[in-house]
Amino acid sequence: MFDPASLKYDANGLIPAIAQDHLTGEVLMMAWMNNESIQKTLETSRVTYWSRSRSSFWIKGETSGHIQKLIEMRVDCDRDCLLLLVDQAGPACHTNRRSCFYTALREGDEVIIMEPQNPSI
Amino acid sequence: MFDPASLKYDANGLIPAIAQDHLTGEVLMMAWMNNESIQKTLETSRVTYWSRSRSSFWIKGETSGHIQKLIEMRVDCDRDCLLLLVDQAGPACHTNRRSCFYTALREGDEVIIMEPQNPSI
């Protein structure tokens, strides 16, 4: 049986978690979890981060409706990073873009490569 | 012109960087960069992390030959995480697996889902 205590957390008790679309492979966002948010995520299949700015649990999509359903959780070799394969409803980013990684460096300049989705989608 | 100083670093001057295979979308690893390693990466197109354990630059593959060629660097909405699209030679993981994320939680247990590659590959 997997125990979240087997993971390596930073000095604040946090571990980075990368959310990836389980079908397309698109990397959607990176946020932080602690032992308890990992347990909540595994129990509910609703991805639950720890908000560092609000110091509280952050059930992804609880207010926006853009929930992340956990399909599979993976652990890296150092046990200090998680990869979450998710089913993402709508945009993952608070800017209404599908992914938080929406700027890219091209020929030395940072350019926007993704537009916000239509709110009705 | 992009300036790495426009990014948000943590208290140690570091920012997490996710390496993703630019062709398959596979997430290969997550490691850390600082301002100078980002500049080196952009100048050389050889992905260069900052090793927290050794407190030194870590040119990925310098000893193993498993280099990461940078195809594109992306920045997230909070400017506190990077996504690196890379051309990965051989395995990304020090265990000789293609990806560092080689265990998964399935039915409550953590199982190995990826075997080491043949060293000759």
Side-chain angles (χ1 to χ4, degrees):
Chain A
M1 191 71 183
F2 171 75
D3 182 355
S6 69
L7 300 172
K8 287 183 196 155
Y9 300 90
D10 70 11
N12 297 311
L14 300 176
I15 185 170
I18 302 159
Q20 181 181 33
D21 185 304
H22 76 115
L23 289 178
T24 66
E26 185 175 20
V27 174
L28 301 171
M29 58 182 285
M30 195 284 273
W32 297 80
M33 292 183 147
N34 60 15
N35 184 311
E36 206 174 340
S37 75
I38 293 170
Q39 288 185 26
K40 287 177 184 287
T41 298
L42 293 173
E43 285 165 14
T44 62
S45 292
R46 288 276 300 268
V47 176
T48 303
Y49 299 102
W50 178 257
S51 168
R52 296 178 301 171
S53 57
R54 296 193 302 269
S55 292
S56 64
F57 293 111
W58 166 27
I59 304 173
K60 175 70 180 163
E62 194 174 34
T63 52
S64 67
H66 302 147
I67 66 168
Q68 284 180 349
K69 182 182 173 195
L70 182 70
I71 305 298
E72 184 166 281
M73 184 179 287
R74 296 186 183 170
V75 180
D76 83 338
C77 53
D78 291 332
R79 305 192 71 74
D80 62 1
C81 188
L82 300 174
L83 179 63
L84 312 175
L85 305 187
V86 303
D87 179 0
Q88 169 70 53
C93 184
H94 74 287
T95 67
N96 272 329
R97 290 172 173 90
R98 179 68 181 171
S99 166
C100 292
F101 296 94
Y102 64 81
T103 69
L105 303 195
R106 294 188 177 168
E107 298 178 12
D109 289 319
E110 188 175 351
V111 296
I112 293 174
I113 57 170
M114 202 179 304
E115 296 304 320
Q117 295 185 352
N118 187 312
S120 65
I121 293 176
Chain B
M1 190 72 184
F2 171 74
D3 182 356
S6 69
L7 300 172
K8 286 184 197 154
Y9 300 91
D10 70 10
N12 298 311
L14 300 175
I15 184 169
I18 303 159
Q20 181 182 33
D21 186 303
H22 76 115
L23 289 179
T24 66
E26 185 175 20
V27 175
L28 301 171
M29 59 182 285
M30 196 282 275
W32 297 80
M33 291 183 149
N34 60 15
N35 185 311
E36 206 173 339
S37 75
I38 293 170
Q39 288 185 26
K40 288 177 183 287
T41 298
L42 293 173
E43 285 166 13
T44 63
S45 292
R46 289 278 300 271
V47 177
T48 303
Y49 299 102
W50 179 256
S51 168
R52 296 178 300 171
S53 57
R54 295 194 302 269
S55 293
S56 64
F57 293 110
W58 167 27
I59 303 173
K60 176 68 181 165
E62 194 175 33
T63 52
S64 67
H66 302 147
I67 66 168
Q68 284 179 349
K69 182 182 173 193
L70 181 70
I71 305 298
E72 183 166 281
M73 183 179 288
R74 297 185 184 171
V75 180
D76 83 339
C77 53
D78 291 333
R79 306 191 71 73
D80 62 2
C81 188
L82 299 174
L83 179 63
L84 312 174
L85 305 188
V86 303
D87 178 1
Q88 170 71 53
C93 184
H94 74 287
T95 66
N96 271 329
R97 290 171 172 91
R98 178 70 181 170
S99 167
C100 293
F101 296 94
Y102 64 81
T103 69
L105 304 194
R106 294 188 177 167
E107 298 177 12
D109 289 320
E110 188 175 350
V111 297
I112 292 174
I113 59 169
M114 202 180 303
E115 295 304 322
Q117 295 185 352
N118 187 312
S120 65
I121 293 175

